[in-house]
């Protein structure tokens, strides 16, 4: 090959290389412009969805404020002062029904209780920004229960008429569960979670705030803002069931339903001064969780209660596990009822540890465990 031919070939390859570079740059520019346009469109779309969700929340809060105003101060103060057992009442105690007032005895109506808790929830929200929505159908549901109770043959369920706040991430038919993300605001379940279905003799009356993706130990998102600790507004209420911890800790709800993977019930309960319980994994169902979660059997997420006292926690679990409804709908849920025989045991064999020898907890956390061990030993429980 002579020099002239070689030079000509080199020029061709150089021109081809330059053309390829121009084509690649052109394609990258085209895709960048298209991405920017699509991103701008998405941002505008999500901003509009956020405004709609915020408007729905504000409108529902105003509605609840109007309903709460229809009950007198005497009735409000009386019901607000009741703890769980007093409000629920003892279904089989004739004496208590004669001298007391409770939902089981019928001297306090579910509708009356609902109106009181609208007001209490709004007060809690003003302190903590815990609410994402008040559920308008809750008033009709309470009235329906009161109507059934007028029939003398109707046997009231254990949790008849008790108000229930629900973490926004948990499925409630017809209501958003965004997980704190704008792109999930159009996610509206068609049915309740199986746990909510089991607790439907309670009355779900509001949804509460969550952090983005429900995977942090605080409670803030771009839709509903930041929720705070009811005892100190400069501190977090915890997460991811932070709204539930805040509303229960502030007295705005007597019972709540949250969820827990790595502390999402237990941390808010600790931060907000209430009780929280994470059931053993797969004793509850996560079959309806809206995200497509690969390796689902390895995700130890579970729904569970928060409340002001342990009696409410036990009653919620007793009702949730009163039969095998959950396991009949979810093959991965354990088919086991509430073990009343074990619950009433006077002495338990309880295991504990202060470190897993992989990551040492903070000294304060280890101290709390040790103090709990000492208290349990005084109760004659066996620890190992």
């Amino acid at each position: 090959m002579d020099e002239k031919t070689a030079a000509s070939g080199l020029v061709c390859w150089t021109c081809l290389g330059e053309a390829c570079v121009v084509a690649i740059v052109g394609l990258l520019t085209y895709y960048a412009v298209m991405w920017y346009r699509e991103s701008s469109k998405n941002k505008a779309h999500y901003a509009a969805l956020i405004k709609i969700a915020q408007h729905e929340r504000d409108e529902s809060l105003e509605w609840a404020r109007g309903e709460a105003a229809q009950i007198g101060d005497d009735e409000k103060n009386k019901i607000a002062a009741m703890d769980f057992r007093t409000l629920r009442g003892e279904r089989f105690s004739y004496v208590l029904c004669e001298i007391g007032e409770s939902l089981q005895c019928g001297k306090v109506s579910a509708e009356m209780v609902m109106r009181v808790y609208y007001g209490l929830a709004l007060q809690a929200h003003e302190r903590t920004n815990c609410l994402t929505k008040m559920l308008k159908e809750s008033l009709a549901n309470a009235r329906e229960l009161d109507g059934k109770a007028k029939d003398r043959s109707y046997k009231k369920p254990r949790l008849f008429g008790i108000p229930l706040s629900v973490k926004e991430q948990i499925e409630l038919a017809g209501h958003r569960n965004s997980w704190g993300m704008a792109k999930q605001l159009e996610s509206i379940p068609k049915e309740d979670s199986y746990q909510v279905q089991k607790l439907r003799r309670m009355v779900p009356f509001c949804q509460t705030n969550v952090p983005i993706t429900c995977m942090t130990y605080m409670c803030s998102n771009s839709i509903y803002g930041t929720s705070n600790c009811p005892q100190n507004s400069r501190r977090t209420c915890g997460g991811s069931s932070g709204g539930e911890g805040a509303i229960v800790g502030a007295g705005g709800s007597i019972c709540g339903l949250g969820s827990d993977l790595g502390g999402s019930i237990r941390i808010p309960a600790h931060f907000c001064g209430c009780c929280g319980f994470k059931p053993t994994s797969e004793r509850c169902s996560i079959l309806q969780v809206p995200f497509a979660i690969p390796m689902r059997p390895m995700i130890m997420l579970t729904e569970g209660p928060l409340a002001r006292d342990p009696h409410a926690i036990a009653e919620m679990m007793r009702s949730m596990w009163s039969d095998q409804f959950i396991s009949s709908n979810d093959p991965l849920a354990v088919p086991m009822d509430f073990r009343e025989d074990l619950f009433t045991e006077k002495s338990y064999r309880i295991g504990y540890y202060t470190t897993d020898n992989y990551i040492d907890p903070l000294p304060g956390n280890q101290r709390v465990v040790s103090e709990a061990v000492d208290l349990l030993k005084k109760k004659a429980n066996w620890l190992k």
Side-chain angles (χ1 to χ4, degrees), residues 78 123 266 275 294:
K78 178 181 68 177
Q123 290 176 15
R266 293 160 288 170
C275 298

Side-chain angles (χ1 to χ4, degrees), residues 207-273:
Q207 289 178 294
T208 56
N209 205 20
V210 296
I212 298 172
T213 72
C214 295
M215 292 292 287
T216 61
Y217 297 151
M218 42 73 73
C219 193
S220 182
N221 61 69
S222 60
I223 308 166
Y224 303 112
T226 301
S227 298
N228 302 309
C229 175
Q231 288 79 23
N232 188 338
S233 62
R234 294 177 298 175
R235 298 184 182 275
T236 182
C237 56
S240 64
S241 304
E244 277 304 311
I247 194 171
V248 174
S253 176
I254 199 165
C255 295
L257 187 64
S259 61
D260 194 314
L261 172 63
S264 288
I265 288 173
R266 293 160 288 170
I267 290 170
H270 173 60
F271 285 9
C272 298

Side-chain angles (χ1 to χ4, degrees), residues 265-286:
I265 288 173
R266 293 160 288 170
I267 290 170
H270 173 60
F271 285 9
C272 298
C274 60
C275 298
F277 178 67
K278 180 192 177 184
T280 300
S281 176
E282 296 181 359
R283 286 289 273 122
C284 297
S285 172
I286 59 169

Side-chain angles (χ1 to χ4, degrees), residues 110 114 138 141-142 145 161-164 199-205:
M114 197 52 51
S138 59
N141 293 339
L145 288 176
I162 297 289
L164 177 69
L199 295 172
R200 264 295 180 180
R201 286 300 175 256
M202 303 177 80
V203 184
F205 75 105

Side-chain angles (χ1 to χ4, degrees), residues 348-354 369 373 376 381-384:
Y348 299 95
R349 190 174 182 85
I350 302 172
Y352 74 95
Y353 61 94
T354 55
V369 172
V373 168
L376 287 168
N381 291 291
W382 298 349
L383 291 107
K384 181 177 181 181

